[in-house]
Amino acid sequence: APEAPYPRLAAEERRPGAPIWTAVELAKHSGVDRTRPLLLAIVGEVYDVGPGERHYGPNSGYHGMAGRDASRSFSTGNFKDDAVPGLKDLSPEQLQDVISWRSFYRKHEQYRFVGFLD
């Protein structure tokens, strides 16, 4: 039997006053513990990506992004070494890649904004 889906968090409005997540708290949502929602962060925005388990769950291609802000890897594609938030030495083109991915999460029909990363 397939495993039960990840629990979901309610969508939040992307504005001041939205929940603040610490990196430690976010790390508990990498998909390993199926009793917790599956989350990732990009440019400091935290998203519930539970419906994307086939992409972000354990043993999947983008699992390295789950439970953390791996903004840099959205441009470089290196989920091993670049799964970090830092963007300062990326080229303008690489920064645009990251911003385009952020737009993807913002507009996604099933993924939900759930807060900001501290």
Side-chain angles (χ1 to χ4, degrees), residues 3-9 21 24-40 48-50 53 56-59 63 66-67:
E3 294 193 73
Y6 287 96
R8 302 296 310 273
L9 292 173
W21 293 78
V24 171
E25 191 62 32
L26 183 60
K28 298 174 185 174
H29 295 267
S30 68
V32 176
D33 179 350
R34 297 194 66 91
T35 67
R36 294 175 182 269
L38 179 61
L39 307 181
L40 62 74
D48 179 327
V49 295
E53 176 180 357
Y56 307 106
N59 306 315
H63 179 62

Side-chain angles (χ1 to χ4, degrees), residues 9-114:
L9 292 173
E12 299 283 347
E13 286 191 48
R14 202 176 62 245
R15 59 182 171 81
I20 303 294
W21 293 78
T22 66
V24 171
E25 191 62 32
L26 183 60
K28 298 174 185 174
H29 295 267
S30 68
V32 176
D33 179 350
R34 297 194 66 91
T35 67
R36 294 175 182 269
L38 179 61
L39 307 181
L40 62 74
I42 181 167
V43 196
E45 296 179 5
V46 181
Y47 290 88
D48 179 327
V49 295
E53 176 180 357
R54 69 182 186 278
H55 304 297
Y56 307 106
N59 306 315
S60 65
Y62 298 112
H63 179 62
M65 295 175 163
R68 61 177 61 167
D69 186 333
S71 293
R72 188 180 180 82
S73 63
F74 281 93
S75 172
T76 66
N78 182 340
F79 306 118
K80 188 163 180 279
D81 302 317
D82 286 341
V84 295
L87 303 173
K88 63 176 181 264
D89 58 337
L90 293 182
S91 71
E93 293 78 14
Q94 288 175 311
L95 284 171
Q96 190 54 55
D97 285 343
V98 177
I99 297 306
S100 294
W101 275 108
R102 184 181 67 183
S103 295
F104 166 81
Y105 291 100
R106 284 181 172 182
K107 295 172 182 165
H108 199 282
E109 289 186 2
Q110 292 185 293
Y111 300 160
R112 299 172 179 169
F113 172 80
V114 295

